[in-house]
Amino acid sequence: MELTAAALADRIIGGGDVTAEELVSLLKTAEKDDLFEAAHRVTEAFKADHFDFCAILNARSGKCSENCKWCAQSAHWKTACDVWTLKTADACVAAAKEAEANGAVRFGIVTSGRTQSATEVEALCAAIRRIKEETHIHRCGSLGLLGEGDLAKLKEAGLERYHCNLETAPSRFGKLCSTHTVEEKLATLKAAKKLGFEICCGGILGMGETPEQLVEFAFALKEVAPNSIPVNILHPVPGTPLGEKSILSEQEILTGIAVLRLVNPRTPLRFAGGRRDMSDETAKKAIYVGISAGIAGPLLTTPGADFADDRQLALEAGYSV
């Protein structure tokens, strides 16, 4: 008997799982509204009461050695990206205090580039110590491909959560970036987990993935078992190889969120890049289908969601904030 979206939701809520083959089949045969409703039921069964808002600081911008085809900060592409070196501890602390005042419970320091020098690690540790001393906000970092030694220094300084996106299906990643590998990303995540970090790991929808690759991506994230999955929607940047791609339709966005939710039923799915390209109506539907957390305020090279707007959407959906 053919599996229906409703039957799959029943199975997941009852403690079962979906297989990749089943989900690919559902993507091709089920009505999209039925798929979205199934994901909504799973979200309702496992979501937290609180809509978790975080904020980030672009602490070092541009001139990145990596050739990620979607990224405005890559030195390989000619974009209008602003460039600055690592921000001071004072600037990091000020941004953390502003994020806390706006209602964020987490604050992430994000840097362009493959990794950090020894001097940069020490500077980041100094900033993190001050944020821990001067605020109550939780501290996150997205600082590239780091080894266990540098991660241990950051942990000792007070960093609590480490972010490194898989970005897309492992089988597709090499077509979008050739200067580092999924295996290197997984090694960084494994080292961070070993040291006791929480993990934030997600990716970008809309980079040309097939339904099979979308499902592969969702299962790769399940294997990582992150504490948070940021869901970016590609914002095509002129000058990058993906700069001419079309922005995903509402149905494509909701389909991606539904797949991520059905494979990762208990993990918060977080609005991230591309949120400002959506209407509030699409964002409201995204929360209905599976989004249960968000990044608000400025992002890296694009504007983020307004705290007040997304706080209101979360409240309307029944979350506390």
Side-chain angles (χ1 to χ4, degrees), residues 183-197:
E183 289 71 26
E184 288 173 300
K185 289 175 172 289
L186 291 172
T188 294
L189 291 167
K190 182 178 179 181
K193 275 196 167 187
K194 180 180 176 182
L195 291 166
F197 280 99

Side-chain angles (χ1 to χ4, degrees), residues 66 114 145 173 177-186:
E66 307 306 285
R114 180 185 179 90
L145 303 173
F173 185 81
C177 176
S178 64
T179 49
H180 61 274
T181 65
V182 172
E183 289 71 26
E184 288 173 300
K185 289 175 172 289
L186 291 172

Side-chain angles (χ1 to χ4, degrees), residues 276-287:
R276 282 290 289 269
D277 294 327
M278 300 179 203
S279 66
D280 279 354
E281 188 60 34
T282 298
K284 188 181 297 186
K285 292 177 183 177
I287 293 173

Side-chain angles (χ1 to χ4, degrees), residues 214-227:
L214 173 60
V215 171
E216 179 194 349
F217 172 51
F219 275 90
L221 290 173
K222 181 180 181 180
E223 188 70 21
V224 170
N227 301 89

Side-chain angles (χ1 to χ4, degrees), residues 143-162:
L143 308 170
L145 303 173
L146 297 182
E148 193 171 323
D150 287 335
L151 287 166
K153 292 177 183 177
L154 293 162
K155 185 79 162 56
E156 187 277 332
L159 200 67
E160 299 170 286
R161 179 175 286 191
Y162 200 77

